Amino acid sequence: MNLTVIEYVLNRLQEIGINDIFGVAGDYAFPIEDAVCENKSMRWIGNCNELNASYAADGYARIKGVAALSTTFGVGELSALNGIAGAYAEHLPIFHLVGMPASGVQKNHRLVHHTLGNGDFNVFYQMSQHLSCAHAVLTPENCIAETERLITTALQERRPVYLGFPSDYAIMPVMADKNVDKPTIPKSNSGSLSAAVTAILEKLNASTQACFVPGILTARLGLAQQVQTLIDKTGLPYTTMFMDKGVLSESNPTYIGLYNGHLMNPKVADFVESCDCLVGIGAVLTDFNSGSFTAKINSENRINILSDHVIVGSAVYPQVYMNDVLDQLNKLVPTLNHKVIQAEGLGSPLLNEQDKITAEYLYPRLESLFREDDIIIAETGTASMGLGFALLPKNAQFHNQTLWGSIGWATPAAFGAAIAEPNRRIILVTGEGSHQLTAQEISQFARFNLKPIIFVLNNDGYLIERLLCKDPEAYYNDLPQWNYAQLPHALGCEDWYCQRVNSCHELDAAINMAQSSDHAAYIEVVMDRYASSELARKLGESVSSLYSF
């Protein structure tokens, strides 16, 4: 029996490692949802709304490398588009499956629900093309060729792709085409590759102090181990920037700590900027990565190995792919063993006479909570900034949405990560302002019997906005006050350990209870309105450079 269009696509997604489909039920997407539920080795992961579903797919893709999301036409796909944009910005391949009205409805421009009422069925498809690296509306005739093209492009570019399914086409048998050629995976130009590798080796051999700067693309492309091998073979130190934290283990002896321009870690900044050779591997100097553009790196000392080209000083080597460069370097690179400085964490939690929970107590205390193989999800804003300079244990992962920076991302992203890795400990740290956008998704943890440890930092408003805006007390930074610690029970998380803490001793006791419990934990941490980490404060002080042009 021939596979239907949607069955073919789902089978291929399974073959590349996707076993779970996130989404929200919708009538035009019924063929997709039915096919997922009828597939004995796939799961439908229903979310509270489509935005949350897209964030959850983002979190899943960070752990498994790929993810899939299903939404209905118009209303569903537009609700998810913000999350898809974030995945595009941060190089996460999400297969966005969109259920469309039947082909005849579209051809006849029928006036149906979930449309603009003007008979235009292409408008949403066209909108999504700006936020996907490939797109197609699938038919029985083009299904095989287009599915293969989309998979190849998504895995090569590590970005979302859009698959539209008219409801009648989705359940029709695929028409085999013997003339379909599998898309070819581009290969490095041999001459350009040889020249790039030679230039890198010459610069390394001539250096007196070199340092690696691995970036997030190494993880997205599945090349983190090759990068670690390269670093180990040279014996050189390595640093990461904010977006790239945890891309390699921070427990290795040659890791020197986070580089954030001159906002933080002056010891690391001085070391990095004194190097006569900096080898970036998928690293990008964005505003937050560069410490509000305070990084001062001589471009002639820089090497950057990117996904499809290499830059050495002012020379650019095109059509050179990262995996090929790493393969060659791992064969040819010398042992250099240049100077290394020791990475430093946050130190001991600092108690105060009032026993108030300050940033100086909270973030070091959370650092001491982390253990090997943890997956830590930190929300955009003060939560991630407070934890950015924590020193992670062996193979612990740290995820934040530095570039796209959409508040509310972290809660559903943590759920997606937990679906991807149910046997690893998930720790979510979020501010209450961000949490209010997507808090309902904590109900999904209980639904799937997942047991995260969640910290909600209650500063009575949008703290990071207070630090960055003209008037910190402006009304737009205020929030309605929720009884956060009561939310899990109201949302069906019956056996969770839930606690509101107002003092350091209460926080310490709650953390100890969460660590020893067999249940999920949800801890509301009440802090003063301006209790912020040093990085958050310094960002506030650097608004002139952060927003300069």
Side-chain angles (χ1 to χ4, degrees):
M1 181 178 176
N2 289 342
L3 294 174
T4 65
V5 168
I6 184 57
E7 287 171 344
Y8 180 86
V9 171
L10 293 179
N11 282 2
R12 288 294 290 119
L13 294 183
Q14 271 189 281
E15 289 172 1
I16 63 170
I18 297 173
N19 300 108
D20 304 286
I21 309 291
F22 297 92
V24 176
D27 54 357
Y28 293 132
F30 285 160
I32 300 171
E33 297 150 11
D34 289 338
V36 173
C37 292
E38 290 163 7
N39 186 316
K40 295 181 180 178
S41 52
M42 292 194 100
R43 279 193 305 179
W44 172 259
I45 309 293
N47 296 92
C48 296
N49 58 56
E50 291 89 354
L51 177 61
N52 288 4
S54 64
Y55 288 154
D58 174 308
Y60 187 94
R62 288 169 187 262
I63 307 304
K64 294 200 73 171
V66 286
L69 164 71
S70 170
T71 61
T72 196
F73 183 77
V75 292
E77 59 182 308
L78 293 188
S79 292
L81 208 51
N82 177 35
I84 292 295
Y88 188 94
E90 304 214 350
H91 289 275
L92 293 160
I94 295 176
F95 291 82
H96 188 184
L97 317 180
V98 178
M100 299 175 129
S103 59
V105 171
Q106 297 189 50
K107 288 174 185 175
N108 292 308
H109 305 287
R110 299 286 296 275
L111 301 185
V112 297
H113 62 285
H114 296 343
T115 72
L116 300 177
N118 58 5
D120 184 353
F121 290 90
N122 289 320
V123 59
F124 310 126
Y125 178 53
Q126 291 168 347
M127 290 168 66
S128 291
Q129 290 175 21
H130 297 282
L131 302 173
S132 60
C133 64
H135 42 85
V137 175
L138 297 184
T139 70
E141 295 81 9
N142 73 10
C143 177
I144 295 176
E146 288 291 65
T147 300
E148 299 309 316
R149 178 179 70 87
L150 294 178
I151 289 174
T152 299
T153 307
L155 296 184
Q156 179 189 334
E157 298 194 25
R158 314 309 293 181
R159 280 181 160 145
V161 293
Y162 181 107
L163 299 85
F165 295 87
S167 57
D168 55 332
Y169 289 162
I171 58 176
M172 290 182 183
V174 168
M175 295 178 64
D177 185 348
K178 296 179 181 178
N179 298 318
V180 171
D181 294 323
K182 269 203 166 186
T184 56
I185 298 174
K187 297 180 180 179
S188 295
N189 176 282
S190 58
S192 189
L193 174 62
S194 177
V197 171
T198 298
I200 293 169
L201 291 172
E202 286 178 351
K203 204 163 190 68
L204 278 172
N205 282 317
S207 67
T208 57
Q209 181 61 66
C211 181
F212 282 98
V213 189
I216 199 67
L217 276 176
T218 63
R220 301 290 192 261
L221 292 166
L223 298 173
Q225 187 52 57
Q226 289 91 318
V227 173
Q228 188 66 65
T229 299
L230 178 62
I231 291 172
D232 293 344
K233 282 190 172 184
T234 63
L236 290 175
Y238 66 97
T239 183
T240 53
M241 293 184 289
F242 199 84
M243 182 177 180
D244 317 307
K245 180 176 177 62
V247 67
L248 298 182
S249 179
E250 295 185 358
S251 65
N252 292 325
T254 57
Y255 177 67
I256 64 171
L258 209 69
Y259 173 56
N260 195 234
H262 287 268
L263 280 190
M264 294 284 291
N265 266 13
K267 182 179 174 183
V268 174
D270 291 344
F271 181 90
V272 168
E273 295 178 8
S274 69
C275 289
D276 55 3
C277 181
L278 280 177
V279 186
I281 308 179
V284 184
L285 281 171
T286 63
D287 49 0
F288 287 146
N289 266 1
S290 65
S292 298
F293 302 114
T294 61
K296 299 174 183 177
I297 298 174
N298 185 334
S299 60
E300 286 304 309
N301 294 338
R302 287 175 59 189
I303 296 168
N304 208 357
I305 303 167
L306 295 164
S307 59
D308 59 1
H309 66 285
V310 169
I311 302 171
V312 181
S314 57
V316 179
Y317 301 87
Q319 201 181 331
V320 177
Y321 295 95
M322 186 183 290
N323 60 320
D324 294 328
V325 177
L326 294 175
D327 285 344
Q328 290 297 308
L329 289 176
N330 273 323
K331 294 174 185 174
L332 302 170
V333 77
T335 300
L336 296 171
N337 290 321
H338 290 173
K339 177 184 175 183
V340 175
I341 60 174
Q342 187 173 2
E344 298 175 356
L346 298 177
S348 300
L350 296 179
L351 286 164
N352 56 82
E353 290 183 2
Q354 296 79 24
D355 202 25
K356 287 184 177 180
I357 303 173
T358 62
E360 291 71 28
Y361 183 86
L362 172 67
Y363 295 111
R365 182 63 184 90
L366 291 178
E367 181 185 47
S368 69
L369 162 70
F370 302 152
R371 66 188 187 203
E372 186 174 334
D373 294 322
D374 277 350
I375 297 174
I376 301 147
I377 311 287
E379 180 60 88
T380 297
T382 52
S384 60
M385 291 171 191
L387 292 173
F389 295 90
L391 194 59
L392 302 179
K394 182 179 179 182
N395 295 329
Q397 293 186 25
F398 183 90
H399 297 279
N400 71 100
Q401 202 189 47
T402 305
L403 180 57
W404 186 241
S406 182
I407 66 170
W409 161 85
T411 299
F415 169 62
I419 287 288
E421 275 284 7
N423 296 319
R424 291 176 68 176
R425 192 169 72 158
I426 303 291
I427 298 174
L428 165 65
V429 185
T430 179
E432 92 275 27
S434 299
H435 195 50
Q436 284 195 7
L437 273 73
T438 54
Q440 66 272 56
E441 210 64 23
I442 63 173
S443 62
Q444 304 293 352
F445 286 99
R447 183 184 186 188
F448 289 91
N449 197 32
L450 301 167
K451 300 176 181 178
I453 299 177
I454 298 174
F455 295 90
V456 178
L457 312 185
N458 186 348
N459 291 105
D460 189 22
Y462 292 118
L463 176 55
I464 189 60
E465 311 291 0
R466 294 192 195 280
L467 297 174
L468 296 176
C469 71
K470 181 175 69 174
D471 177 9
E473 291 301 315
Y475 181 70
Y476 54 72
N477 288 323
D478 295 341
L479 288 167
Q481 283 304 297
W482 293 5
N483 296 317
Y484 293 97
Q486 297 178 31
L487 279 179
H489 290 165
L491 294 173
C493 307
E494 299 295 343
D495 60 352
W496 284 29
Y497 167 69
C498 301
Q499 189 66 49
R500 174 185 168 102
V501 297
N502 293 276
S503 69
C504 295
H505 286 91
E506 289 177 350
L507 173 61
D508 185 64
I511 290 176
N512 290 336
M513 179 66 74
Q515 284 188 292
S516 62
S517 173
D518 290 331
H519 303 294
Y522 184 100
I523 301 170
E524 177 190 354
V525 182
V526 180
M527 304 171 72
D528 284 347
R529 180 175 276 206
Y530 290 96
S532 56
S533 68
E534 184 180 2
L535 175 57
R537 294 194 297 271
K538 288 192 172 183
L539 275 174
E541 295 164 3
S542 69
V543 291
S544 59
S545 64
L546 180 63
Y547 299 115
S548 65
F549 53 90

